[in-house]
Amino acid sequence: MKGNKMCRLHLILLYVCLILCTGCISGERKDAHVVTDEWKIKQMELLLENDPGTAMDKMDSLLPYLKDSMSYYRGIVFKSKAYMLMSRIGDASRMLRQAGSFCTSPSEEDKSDLYASVCNMEGNILARQAKFDSARVKFLQAYELYMHTGNKLKRFNVMLNLADAFLREGACDKGALWYHRSLRLADSLGLPKSQCFPVYYGLGQVYMQLHDFERCDFYFDRAGEYYDEMKPYEKGIYLNNRGNSYYYRQDYKTALKYFRRSLAHALAHPEMEYERNLTMINLGEVFLLMNQTDSASYYLSRCRDFFQKEDNNSALYYIDTQLIELALKEGNLSLAKKRLDEAVVPDFVEPNMVHIRNRYLQHYFEESKDYRRAYYYLVENSRIDDSIRSERIKMRTQEIAMKYRRDSILMKKEMLIQQAENKVLHLNQWLYGGEIVLLVFMLIAGAWIAYRSRKRDKEEWMMRNAMTSLRLKNIRNRISPHFIFNVLNREISSLKDRESNHRLYELVKLIRYNLELTESLAVTLAEELDFVKTYIGLEEQVLQPGFEFHIDIDPALDIHRVKIPVMLLQIPVENAVKHALSCKDGIRMLWIEVKKDKDCIKALVRDNGGGFKVKSNSYGTGTGMKVLSQTIQLLNSYNRYPLIMQINNVEIKERGELGCEVKFTIPLDYSYLLGRAKDTNLWKRCIEQLSLMMKRVQ
């Protein structure tokens, strides 16, 4: 049958769970593992095209595990394609009706892609039955759905089916248009040329029907380059239509060669029953034209029953046409008349078949001496030939217009590229200028940073000197001979036995520890608390009676690992004892609290000595707080988050008294390393001077 071929079944399943792999059978239980890997899906699709029977068996084994789900109905559509490849059109239609009813039922799940696959398959079945107008409607519906889902690869396949449908209806211009559109889409998707051969042999058929055999051969040759990569049914399409191209130019020997190859290929694949019988029709036609009536009768009689079972009126119409001519060649006019009277009359007949039927009817009426009707069919065929020539001219005009548009687009693109290059050149000039400005700015910034660094080093050196001087002064004031001798006299006069000299040892410990603290910027919380306890233990006798000392440490803190600035608690405690509690009557209370709060440590020293006073009865120099402030200021300059010190008067609610509270907020990641040694030589000299001063004080 000329021009009649099996439409491509370009059904791409979005999600097919197909592999029953590593299935372990234990007793009567079988575990199915659904593999969704893309490589596995491609392998299964290849199996479907080459061995649809085996692919369908695997799907039948898998479907019971998928239940009533999207994957289940994708498997149903998969089975419909397998049935169609096996020429079981009734079963294929039944599968599609089942999947279609699921797609049209209300559901929150998006079924557009699955429904598009159903429409595409329905179009293929209608095209197989030569109902091309209905098939075209289904293909357009699938095309719109894939436009909605954005699946361009599946849209490419549906465009090929649409082009085939238009071509089979005789609309060569529209068929060529959709083939060219599919080529543009393939270019935009970056598909390799090896996947575009269906477009090439589709265009070959367009020019075959227009009898432009030069361009027809050009496209068939391009498709033939990828013959080894074609699927079995695609090879059948190529061979059958390549033979048709030689049939139309009346080169029957070459046409016979391709038809025989097509038949041998179809016989090698038992599932290709439709293609096998289609090729037999074409073989019967060629043998008939070569006056080999026995061979023609053999092939035509073998294929007629199949197409009757398929209810393919288009194929039966073509077979009846050849049988009429066969009876005429055998000289049996009455048999020819009988076959003409009993011939099938389909709703739609392809233009090529009409042309062939008219030629044979002309022959029949010539033999019947009815020259008026013979002339009528001669004129009809002339009109069809004129129409084909007109279509060829129109196609040539459209190709020239398309080439002009393509050249115009290319020229416009070249102009845009040139403009873009000019813009890039202009931008590069600005970039070079910007780089120069940036380089100058970086040089200036580098000089400024170097200046600020030197200035900062100078300020740090001056601050260290000032801090060292204040520390030395504080040591002289805190550990004065007057304080030491008073305590020693008090302790010695109270000695009764050897065990009573404990306080004297504590004093020695205090002096030694104080000297050690001067060598670092930070100590552990445990060391600082030990110093404070020792100091309070020595001063407790003076503060009694009525002195209460409380230390509250958060259990979440490891006092042996947590570090704080040196003398952070010591100096506020000494100030509280010296300036507040020593001159207070009644109950004297002193609190130390250290707690963890989120990402910081909060430490406070509180007393009930009447609050902070600018001048107290006990005269002091104030150097302790100055040392502490400058130490904190120095450390803060090398930390992102500062250590904060606050001094406030607070109300002691449980006693209704006023007190002073010194509060510190220390970040957990607070660093006690100075950025410039870090410059250890200067610091060592300061420590040496401090040690020398302490020795002189002692």
Side-chain angles (χ1 to χ4, degrees):
M1 177 171 57
K2 302 301 162 270
N4 187 9
K5 63 180 183 59
M6 182 186 71
C7 286
R8 289 166 202 85
L9 310 178
H10 295 286
L11 170 65
I12 304 296
L13 302 177
L14 176 66
Y15 177 81
V16 185
C17 302
L18 300 169
I19 306 297
L20 289 173
C21 61
T22 63
C24 299
I25 301 175
S26 176
E28 296 180 355
R29 185 174 178 272
K30 185 176 181 180
D31 295 329
H33 299 278
V34 180
V35 180
T36 59
D37 184 77
E38 184 178 353
W39 184 84
K40 294 291 185 183
I41 294 174
K42 289 182 179 180
Q43 293 299 311
M44 184 51 66
E45 288 175 350
L46 183 61
L47 177 62
L48 175 65
E49 303 296 349
N50 290 279
D51 191 356
T54 302
M56 189 167 65
D57 289 341
K58 287 184 177 293
M59 178 55 69
D60 285 336
S61 301
L62 181 62
L63 283 178
Y65 298 96
L66 298 179
K67 306 297 182 183
D68 190 12
S69 64
M70 288 286 286
S71 298
Y72 175 84
Y73 287 100
R74 293 185 200 283
I76 292 297
V77 176
F78 184 89
K79 283 187 65 176
S80 73
K81 182 175 181 180
Y83 278 131
M84 184 172 174
L85 289 172
M86 296 166 67
S87 298
R88 295 169 61 177
I89 302 301
D91 292 330
S93 298
R94 179 170 53 83
M95 292 287 104
L96 290 177
R97 283 195 297 272
Q98 185 178 351
S101 62
F102 170 75
C103 293
T104 54
S105 62
S107 173
E108 296 180 1
E109 191 172 7
D110 185 15
K111 302 173 182 176
S112 298
D113 196 83
L114 178 60
Y115 191 48
S117 299
V118 172
C119 292
N120 188 37
M121 276 300 305
E122 288 176 341
N124 283 320
I125 290 176
L126 289 167
R128 173 74 72 91
Q129 297 171 342
K131 299 175 182 178
F132 302 114
D133 52 346
S134 300
R136 178 164 41 83
V137 171
K138 288 294 183 180
F139 290 142
L140 284 170
Q141 190 174 358
Y143 178 79
E144 294 296 331
L145 287 169
Y146 284 138
M147 285 283 288
H148 173 70
T149 61
N151 196 320
K152 293 185 177 181
L153 183 58
K154 292 183 179 180
R155 189 165 15 124
F156 168 75
N157 295 321
V158 174
M159 291 169 77
L160 293 178
N161 289 340
L162 261 173
D164 289 341
F166 278 117
L167 181 61
R168 298 284 296 279
E169 286 185 290
C172 296
D173 55 338
K174 293 181 180 178
L177 176 65
W178 280 98
Y179 281 130
H180 283 295
R181 283 183 178 176
S182 65
L183 271 181
R184 288 198 296 271
L185 181 59
D187 289 339
S188 69
L189 293 174
L191 294 180
K193 296 299 181 183
S194 59
Q195 293 188 28
C196 297
F197 61 81
V199 183
Y200 298 144
Y201 62 60
L203 287 169
Q205 293 176 71
V206 170
Y207 290 104
M208 175 186 71
Q209 295 199 17
L210 295 174
H211 294 186
D212 186 349
F213 298 115
E214 182 180 353
R215 296 186 66 79
C216 168
D217 287 340
F218 169 77
Y219 284 111
F220 273 126
D221 288 341
R222 290 196 67 180
E225 294 174 7
Y226 308 103
Y227 180 82
D228 293 336
E229 301 177 35
M230 295 180 187
K231 298 171 184 176
Y233 77 90
E234 290 171 333
K235 290 180 179 179
I237 294 172
Y238 172 77
L239 293 171
N240 198 36
N241 285 285
R242 193 69 192 265
N244 283 338
S245 70
Y246 288 101
Y247 162 84
Y248 280 112
R249 68 189 87 178
Q250 299 181 1
D251 184 354
Y252 300 128
K253 289 185 178 180
T254 308
L256 189 63
K257 181 183 70 173
Y258 279 101
F259 289 143
R260 280 175 169 164
R261 281 184 62 190
S262 177
L263 182 61
H265 174 72
L267 289 171
H269 295 81
E271 73 279 0
M272 294 177 61
E273 188 176 4
Y274 178 85
E275 292 76 7
R276 183 166 62 253
N277 285 278
L278 180 63
T279 306
M280 288 182 185
I281 299 178
N282 291 333
L283 280 168
E285 170 88 7
V286 172
F287 282 123
L288 185 62
L289 292 170
M290 295 174 68
N291 295 317
Q292 299 181 25
T293 55
D294 291 340
S295 298
S297 177
Y298 170 77
Y299 285 112
L300 291 174
S301 61
R302 286 190 62 187
C303 63
R304 196 175 196 285
D305 291 340
F306 171 79
F307 287 108
Q308 268 189 329
K309 183 182 66 176
E310 289 282 309
D311 194 25
N312 191 325
N313 288 335
S314 179
L316 291 173
Y317 175 86
Y318 186 45
I319 293 171
D320 289 342
T321 299
Q322 293 185 55
L323 289 175
I324 293 169
E325 179 67 11
L326 180 62
L328 292 174
K329 284 185 177 291
E330 291 174 345
N332 194 340
L333 186 62
S334 60
L335 179 60
K337 183 177 183 308
K338 180 183 177 183
R339 287 176 174 172
L340 178 61
D341 294 337
E342 296 175 353
V344 174
V345 181
D347 296 331
F348 171 79
V349 183
E350 295 180 47
N352 287 329
M353 291 190 193
V354 173
H355 190 275
I356 295 170
R357 172 67 74 96
N358 288 345
R359 188 173 72 236
Y360 290 160
L361 286 176
Q362 177 189 343
H363 185 200
Y364 169 76
F365 286 113
E366 285 175 353
E367 294 292 328
S368 303
K369 310 301 182 183
D370 189 349
Y371 297 111
R372 183 178 62 82
R373 297 188 68 179
Y375 177 73
Y376 167 79
Y377 287 109
L378 175 64
V379 172
E380 278 295 305
N381 270 358
S382 298
R383 184 183 59 79
I384 293 174
D385 290 337
D386 291 340
S387 176
I388 291 174
R389 282 191 290 271
S390 298
E391 285 289 328
R392 193 185 313 160
I393 293 170
K394 185 166 66 173
M395 282 288 296
R396 182 69 67 184
T397 304
Q398 289 178 349
E399 285 181 350
I400 293 172
M402 189 181 298
K403 184 177 180 181
Y404 172 76
R405 286 196 299 270
R406 185 170 63 248
D407 292 342
S408 299
I409 292 171
L410 289 174
M411 186 178 296
K412 187 176 181 180
K413 285 184 177 179
E414 289 177 358
M415 292 176 63
L416 290 174
I417 291 171
Q418 187 62 44
Q419 291 176 1
E421 289 177 350
N422 292 337
K423 288 181 180 178
V424 170
L425 180 61
H426 187 62
L427 180 61
N428 286 337
Q429 293 174 349
W430 276 100
L431 287 175
Y432 294 147
E435 289 175 357
I436 293 172
V437 172
L438 181 62
L439 181 61
V440 172
F441 174 78
M442 290 176 64
L443 291 174
I444 295 173
W448 172 254
I449 291 171
Y451 167 75
R452 291 291 299 172
S453 177
R454 283 195 291 270
K455 185 177 180 181
R456 185 174 180 179
D457 289 346
K458 184 177 179 181
E459 290 175 352
E460 180 184 326
W461 181 80
M462 293 175 64
M463 187 178 293
R464 284 181 174 178
N465 277 349
M467 189 175 69
T468 303
S469 299
L470 287 171
R471 283 193 173 188
L472 292 174
K473 186 176 180 181
N474 181 59
I475 291 170
R476 286 196 298 269
N477 290 329
R478 277 194 297 120
I479 311 180
S480 61
H482 178 72
F483 168 74
I484 295 173
F485 286 121
N486 281 345
V487 173
L488 287 175
N489 288 333
R490 200 164 51 240
E491 294 299 324
I492 292 171
S493 63
S494 63
L495 287 176
K496 294 180 180 180
D497 53 39
R498 283 185 154 184
E499 294 181 1
S500 300
N501 63 3
H502 173 70
R503 290 184 179 276
L504 187 58
Y505 287 133
E506 288 294 310
L507 177 61
V508 173
K509 175 184 175 182
L510 185 68
I511 295 172
R512 184 185 300 109
Y513 189 65
N514 192 74
L515 289 173
E516 290 173 355
L517 290 180
T518 60
E519 298 180 1
S520 61
L521 287 174
V523 294
T524 64
L525 180 58
E527 291 172 337
E528 185 73 3
L529 290 173
D530 184 46
F531 183 88
V532 170
K533 289 177 183 177
T534 303
Y535 173 77
I536 293 297
L538 292 172
E539 287 288 344
E540 189 174 10
Q541 186 176 357
V542 177
L543 298 173
Q544 294 293 352
F547 175 66
E548 296 180 13
F549 179 50
H550 303 281
I551 297 179
D552 184 10
I553 306 298
D554 191 341
L557 291 173
D558 184 355
I559 62 174
H560 297 286
R561 295 178 64 88
V562 174
K563 287 195 172 185
I564 61 174
V566 65
M567 298 183 290
L568 189 77
L569 300 178
Q570 170 192 346
I571 291 176
V573 166
E574 289 185 9
N575 285 343
V577 172
K578 183 176 181 180
H579 298 290
L581 300 180
S582 62
C583 55
K584 183 182 182 303
D585 297 328
I587 299 300
R588 304 176 179 89
M589 302 182 73
L590 181 64
W591 294 270
I592 296 177
E593 295 180 8
V594 184
K595 294 183 179 180
K596 183 178 180 182
D597 183 13
K598 295 182 181 178
D599 55 351
C600 64
I601 297 172
K602 292 188 176 181
L604 63 86
V605 178
R606 186 192 305 123
D607 62 67
N608 69 334
F612 174 75
K613 305 178 185 65
V614 178
K615 292 184 178 180
S616 66
N617 294 332
S618 177
Y619 175 76
T621 62
T623 56
M625 292 305 292
K626 289 181 182 178
V627 168
L628 186 58
S629 296
Q630 292 204 2
T631 301
I632 292 172
Q633 182 182 355
L634 178 63
L635 291 172
N636 281 347
S637 65
Y638 293 101
N639 280 276
R640 181 179 179 184
Y641 299 105
L643 188 156
I644 301 172
M645 179 177 69
Q646 297 172 313
I647 303 176
N648 300 303
N649 286 336
V650 295
E651 182 180 356
I652 311 300
K653 294 183 180 180
E654 59 269 20
R655 298 192 56 82
E657 296 178 332
L658 190 67
C660 180
E661 179 181 270
V662 182
K663 185 176 180 181
F664 303 95
T665 302
I666 311 166
L668 284 176
D669 57 351
Y670 199 72
S671 173
Y672 298 96
L673 297 176
L674 300 181
R676 301 297 179 192
K678 312 194 178 180
D679 182 22
T680 55
N681 292 332
L682 178 61
W683 184 244
K684 286 181 178 179
R685 287 197 297 270
C686 292
I687 296 301
E688 290 173 359
Q689 292 178 6
L690 184 61
S691 301
L692 182 60
M693 290 297 298
M694 289 301 301
K695 290 179 181 179
R696 290 177 181 175
V697 170
Q698 292 176 349

